[in-house]
Amino acid sequence: MKGYILEACVDSAESAVEAQKGGANRLELCANLVIGGTTPERALYEKVRELTDIRINVLIRPRYGDFLYTEYEFEILRRSVALYRELGADGVVSGCLLPDGALDEERMEFLREAAGDMEFTLHRAFDMCREPYKALESAKRLGIQTILTSGQKNVCTEGRDLIAGLVRESGGEVDIMVGGGVNAGVIRQMLPVTGAPAWHMSGKEMLDSNMVYRQQEVSMGVPGLGEYQVFRTAEDRIREARRVLDGIQKENMRIY
């Protein structure tokens, strides 16, 4: 029986190290997790590759916001996929939509071809599409290995019915990876009813900055989030999720 995948979404070298220590067997490497993630810079990828020895899938997303891209933005997407293929990434994570909410199969095919033999994950652009089951069939045709989804809800616990349906309809051709509020408790609750083979979490905690002097009159970041707060993956949160998955795996092996 194939083991469950635990993917940690990280945007720093420190988080990547903590995720591996906690038992993640794959990373989704990105930048700017606080706005949902964007394409990371090359230097970050290279440092994470030096520090870890687990699989690295790189998020390819040129900006915050929707997944309807201009010609310039799409060219940046293609170049980014090609770059990380050259750098030896194990996979890429991306997605494009049409104005009517359908998956943009033409552009997705270009990206899939640019990825070559790398793994390809359709990210949560899937959660913004109009017809999820049709998008699943498109993913099968395109040779996409994984779909990341919260079941088209803000948190995966609210989207469990769709997730379970997608797992059934995938027929094992595409891994349905659950994201959106995942932690050890959510896995324990949802895995038996969805059968999802892959789980995606940041395991983040908020740390206080080490800055002693703090300028209070100027804000440089996202409204509502101060410059003196740092989000970082916590080893213990990843480890707890890993223990749940391993426990369920052992129980399944005992039954079968």
Side-chain angles (χ1 to χ4, degrees), residues 2-10 15-17 19-20 23-30 45 48-59 84 87-93 112 115-121 145-146 175 177 199-200 242:
K2 186 173 75 170
Y4 294 110
I5 294 170
L6 179 59
E7 179 179 274
C9 185
V10 301
S15 288
V17 169
Q20 176 170 293
N25 47 3
R26 190 168 72 201
L27 301 175
E28 183 197 272
L29 182 63
C30 64
Y45 167 80
V48 170
R49 182 61 87 188
E50 290 174 15
L51 293 171
T52 65
D53 58 10
I54 57 178
R55 299 181 70 79
I56 302 174
N57 288 356
V58 180
L59 177 67
Y84 281 105
L87 292 175
D90 298 290
V92 289
V93 182
R112 187 70 195 89
D117 58 1
M118 288 193 295
E119 294 180 8
F120 199 108
T121 295
Q145 288 89 354
T146 302
D175 282 343
M177 180 164 60
W199 300 81
H200 171 99
R242 180 81 265 168

Side-chain angles (χ1 to χ4, degrees), residues 122-135:
L122 171 57
H123 60 31
R124 290 185 66 194
F126 179 87
D127 282 330
M128 306 300 287
C129 75
R130 190 180 70 249
E131 299 180 79
Y133 287 104
K134 183 176 286 188

Side-chain angles (χ1 to χ4, degrees), residues 4 6 22 182-192 199 201 236-252:
Y4 294 110
L6 179 59
V182 170
N183 56 36
V186 166
I187 295 172
R188 189 180 294 110
Q189 172 188 353
M190 287 191 56
L191 199 157
W199 300 81
M201 63 183 290
D236 59 344
R237 296 187 181 186
I238 302 295
R239 187 173 303 283
E240 187 179 2
R242 180 81 265 168
R243 285 174 179 161
V244 170
L245 288 172
D246 289 347
I248 294 173
Q249 178 78 17
K250 289 178 182 177
E251 181 62 20
N252 290 342

